[in-house]
Amino acid sequence: MKKDHNQVWTNCLEIIKDNVSPQGYKTWFEPIKPVRLEDSVLTIQVPSQFFYEWLEEHYVTLLKKIIRKELGAEGRLEYSIIMENNSNASPYTIKVPTSNRKAVKNAVVTMPLDMGESPIKNPFIIPGLRKMQVDSNLNPNYSFDNFVEGDSNRLARSAGFAVANKPGGTAFNPLLIYGGVGLGKTHLAHAIGIEIKNKYEDKTVLYVSSEKFTHQFIDAVKNNSVNDFTHFYQMIDVLIIDDVQFFSGKEKTQDVFFHIFNHLHQTGKQIIITSDKPPVEMQGMEQRLLSRFKWGLSADLQVPSLETRIAILKKKMYADGIELPEEVVEYLGYSITSNVRELEGALISLIAQSSLNKKAITLDLAKQMIDKFVKNTAREVSIDYIQKVVCDYFDLPIELLKSKTRKREIVQARQIAMYFAKKMTKSSLASIGAHCGGKDHATVLHACRTVNNLQETDKHFRKYLDDLEKKLSIA
Ligand code: ADP
Ligand code: MG
């Protein structure tokens, strides 16, 4: 009897479950999907390159044994990897002969990427169906439910929600969502698409990265099928184009997109665009396209506040059934300030670390891990974190430090926080002052002088500073 990939993988999972920790199982094996089984080669789909490398690094022996047991000596395992940062891109496959560890490394380095698994195969050669069956390319995890609302995203989120309620029927057409890396543009764009699909089953929603759009267009030119390409896109009810800045300098692509845009807009279809910049700052874009982008609403996503960062972490933990000590969650929220993707990455690495080393997740582990994790991004401690450490040390409520109060012990703690902020961050005096009770730059300068004087003359005071400095230096 021919074996089926689901059955084989289910058998594998049973053995894996007995051999790895429950957390490890949950983190590294539950997300895997078996894809196919052909000629004793089992293909499994993993969420990212990192994931694949982790499996290879830590579980290869186990996997090898299990595959042998299930599929015999010929048995092999292949990974199909969903491309990161781009949930719409086709997965690519890395062929890993599990029976030969040596070849594994080679395979990883030299295997050409197999791009042949696009969810829509030649999307614009769909034969004359009356209602198109288009795979929307939406990631169900990127829903509104999973999107934490905060000041940093309120406008974009509510505009997105309005659009989802009445696609094509609001003034927000196009809706342009812009903001820096990892701030939730792709997530929000998917959320809108998902919500529309929930409310309007019949609407054809399509999420596509501008990169993929460009490649499809280039292929269409090669194959003489530009008309089919254009036609396909003009039949979409809700078109979501992610990272439109990728069109910059690509005149032909901009041109074809311009015509598609006009057609959709004129026929009352909804267009949603994301970009890393607002239209005024987009370079290498045709003026007529830019002016269209400004027709609707441009809403930005900003760096989330500390509260929002912590809320995002908690939401993610809840969804994944993870529990972490409060101080660890706070530490992550305080330390990783620039980008939600990094924040999530840190959380995942932390869980992975602890499950593999069978160590409890403590503040120390978090510190070590963050140190490694963010080492390339020249991380600096944040003013928020300095304030927290200083307040914890003196056992003062942080609100007081940030307030205008002139109580003596608060003033001193505040001065110390300012001193460390000056010393350990690149923030300007003005911005340090703004964080510490709305003081001006002269006050911050005065604080730094006072602290310097005191540490030369007062032994106890110097001890405070040494202690604090140790707590703040992460190494
Ligand atoms: P961008 O497209 O702006 O680079 P993404 O949409 O890919 O960013 O977001 C990066 C990660 O952060 C995703 O996993 C996303 O789910 C998560 N994320 C971003 N903002 C939020 C939010 N407000 N609530 C929950 N998760 C968020
Ligand atoms: Mg994105």
Side-chain angles (χ1 to χ4, degrees), residues 253-363:
T253 311
Q254 288 182 34
D255 194 52
V256 75
F257 181 61
F258 178 77
H259 291 293
I260 291 168
F261 183 105
N262 284 342
H263 181 92
L264 293 179
H265 199 274
Q266 276 158 21
T267 49
K269 307 296 173 59
Q270 180 70 44
I271 302 151
I272 297 150
I273 301 166
T274 79
S275 164
D276 65 350
K277 292 183 201 64
V280 279
E281 286 172 25
M282 287 184 203
Q283 304 278 327
M285 279 302 189
E286 279 185 55
Q287 210 47 49
R288 55 179 187 165
L289 204 51
L290 287 183
S291 80
R292 300 265 178 313
F293 289 175
K294 294 183 211 155
W295 276 357
L297 176 77
S298 303
D300 69 332
L301 292 175
Q302 290 166 355
V303 176
S305 67
L306 177 64
E307 288 74 27
T308 310
R309 295 199 295 276
I310 291 180
I312 290 173
L313 282 172
K314 290 196 170 156
K315 177 138 229 165
K316 181 110 192 99
M317 285 158 51
Y318 183 79
D320 294 353
I322 304 159
E323 279 180 40
L324 293 185
E326 188 73 19
E327 54 176 5
V328 171
V329 181
E330 282 182 5
Y331 181 77
L332 292 179
Y334 275 110
S335 315
I336 301 181
T337 53
S338 57
N339 160 340
V340 182
R341 188 175 298 133
E342 271 186 14
L343 197 63
E344 289 186 348
L347 181 67
I348 293 171
S349 305
L350 189 58
I351 293 159
Q353 283 275 335
S354 104
S355 84
L356 279 162
N357 303 332
K358 307 216 163 41
K359 280 196 211 155
I361 300 183
T362 58
L363 192 54

Side-chain angles (χ1 to χ4, degrees), residues 243-256:
D243 287 322
V244 80
Q245 73 273 4
F246 189 79
F247 284 167
S248 113
K250 301 189 170 71
E251 281 168 33
K252 298 245 167 57
T253 311
Q254 288 182 34
D255 194 52
V256 75

Side-chain angles (χ1 to χ4, degrees), residues 17 58 101 191 330 343 351 354 380 385 399 440 467-468:
K17 213 170 198 165
H58 299 278
R101 181 70 180 129
E330 282 182 5
L343 197 63
I351 293 159
S354 104
E380 58 176 41
Y385 189 63
E399 299 76 40
D440 62 10
D467 284 355
L468 281 165

